[in-house]
Amino acid sequence: MRSEADVDASTLSLPRRSWPSLALRRPFGLCAAPACYKPGVRGYPTKPSAGATVNRRGRASFVATVGAKTVRAALVAAERAGLDVSRLAADVGLELARLADPDARVPHDSWVALFRHLEQRTGDPGIGLHLVAALPFGHFDAVDYLVASSATAEEGLARLVRAFPIVSTAAEHTVRRVGAELRVTRASRPGVATTRAGTELAIGGMVRRLAELSGGAFVPERIELAHPPSVSPETYARVLLCPVLSEREAHVVVYRASSGSVPIR
C-alpha cells in the first residue's frame, strides 16, 4: 500500500520520445468513438451499460469505452502494489488476452469497477493520482505525438482535448477563454458513471503532459474538482502542480490565458 508520502511527482518527468516510425493508421473520426454494443461478439458488451445511448429500436448505439493501454497501465500498477492481477481482472470482467491488442477497447463499466476494486483492496483513496506515474509521456503514442507536434501550449491543449476519446469516451472536455483565464472543463457523458480516481488520473495525465512538454512553463493556476478530496492539499499540489479546490460545481482546470502562447519544446 502506498501512502501520500510515496507520491513523487519528479518521477513523472521522463525523457522525450522520438517518433521516426509513428504513423497514424486511421483518422480521428474513426477512432474517436470505437466499440459499440455488439451482442454475441467476444470482448464487447452483451447488453447496454449505464453509458449506453439506446435508439428507438432498443439497440445501444453508444457505449462508453476506455483504451486498452490505459487499462493495462492500471493493472501494472496494481501488480506492483502486490495485487493478484488475474483475479482482479476476472472480478471486473476484463480479458487479459484482449488487452494485448493496443487498439482494443474496454467497456467503461469495467473500468469503473476496476477502480472501485483497486481503492477497496489498497485502502488508498488517492489511487488515481498514484497511477499518473503509470501513464508517462509516450504511453499514448498517437495522442502524445500530436500534442508534442504542437507549436504552442494552447494548441497542444486543444489537440489533447480533441484526441482524448482515444483514451476514453466516457467524458468530454471543453476549452474556452474567460477573461484572463483559459478554462478546461471536464464533464461526464449523460448516464455514464464515473469515479473520483478515474477523474483525477485523467486530469493528472493531461496536466503533467503539457507541463513537461512546455518545460514547466504551462501549469495551471488552480484546479477545481467537483468531488471530495482524496488526498491532502500538499499531495494534490505536488502531483497536479497547483492548488486544488474540492467540492466545487464542476471539474475545471484553470490556466492563465497568456500562458497559452508558451512554445512546446
Side-chain angles (χ1 to χ4, degrees):
M1 183 187 305
R2 300 184 65 181
S3 65
E4 291 183 16
D6 292 324
V7 181
D8 183 3
S10 66
T11 63
L12 305 182
S13 298
L14 302 179
R16 293 280 300 277
R17 286 186 57 175
S18 59
W19 310 90
S21 60
L22 179 63
L24 298 180
R25 289 173 287 178
R26 47 189 168 176
F28 282 123
L30 295 181
C31 57
C36 293
Y37 164 54
K38 296 184 179 181
V41 178
R42 185 177 179 82
Y44 286 87
T46 56
K47 60 182 180 179
S49 69
T53 300
V54 181
N55 60 27
R56 294 180 181 178
R57 296 183 179 181
R59 297 178 181 176
S61 56
F62 170 80
V63 172
T65 61
V66 178
K69 283 194 169 186
T70 307
V71 179
R72 287 209 313 269
L75 291 176
V76 168
E79 187 175 35
R80 290 174 180 170
L83 300 181
D84 185 336
V85 170
S86 297
R87 180 179 177 183
L88 178 62
D91 287 346
V92 300
L94 292 174
E95 298 181 28
L96 293 179
R98 178 171 170 74
L99 295 179
D101 177 2
D103 293 325
R105 307 293 299 184
V106 171
H108 187 258
D109 286 354
S110 295
W111 176 246
V112 170
L114 174 61
F115 264 121
R116 288 174 177 166
H117 277 68
L118 283 173
E119 185 170 336
Q120 180 181 14
R121 296 183 186 184
T122 62
D124 180 9
I127 187 67
L129 287 181
H130 296 167
L131 287 179
V132 173
L135 299 174
F137 179 81
H139 183 80
F140 299 108
D141 296 343
V143 176
D144 288 337
Y145 170 74
L146 283 174
V147 178
S149 300
S150 304
T152 65
E154 186 170 359
E155 181 183 357
L157 175 60
R159 289 183 173 187
L160 180 55
V161 165
R162 177 175 173 239
F164 195 84
I166 296 176
V167 179
S168 172
T169 64
E172 296 178 308
H173 301 81
T174 57
V175 182
R176 63 192 182 100
R177 285 175 174 259
V178 180
E181 295 180 341
L182 185 63
R183 300 171 65 89
V184 186
T185 302
R186 174 182 170 88
S188 299
R189 289 180 178 271
V192 176
T194 60
T195 64
R196 177 172 58 182
T199 296
E200 294 184 349
L201 172 61
I203 290 176
M206 296 174 70
V207 167
R208 299 292 312 191
R209 273 166 169 70
L210 291 165
E212 181 178 345
L213 288 171
S214 65
F218 188 66
V219 295
E221 286 197 317
R222 70 182 185 278
I223 294 175
E224 300 175 6
L225 299 175
H227 53 241
S230 64
V231 295
S232 69
E234 293 76 18
T235 299
Y236 269 132
R238 185 164 65 249
V239 178
L240 299 181
L241 310 176
C242 67
V244 174
L245 307 176
S246 300
E247 298 182 277
R248 299 292 164 156
E249 293 184 1
H251 303 303
V252 185
V253 182
V254 182
Y255 292 91
R256 293 191 312 275
S258 58
S259 68
S261 59
V262 168
I264 293 294
R265 301 179 181 181

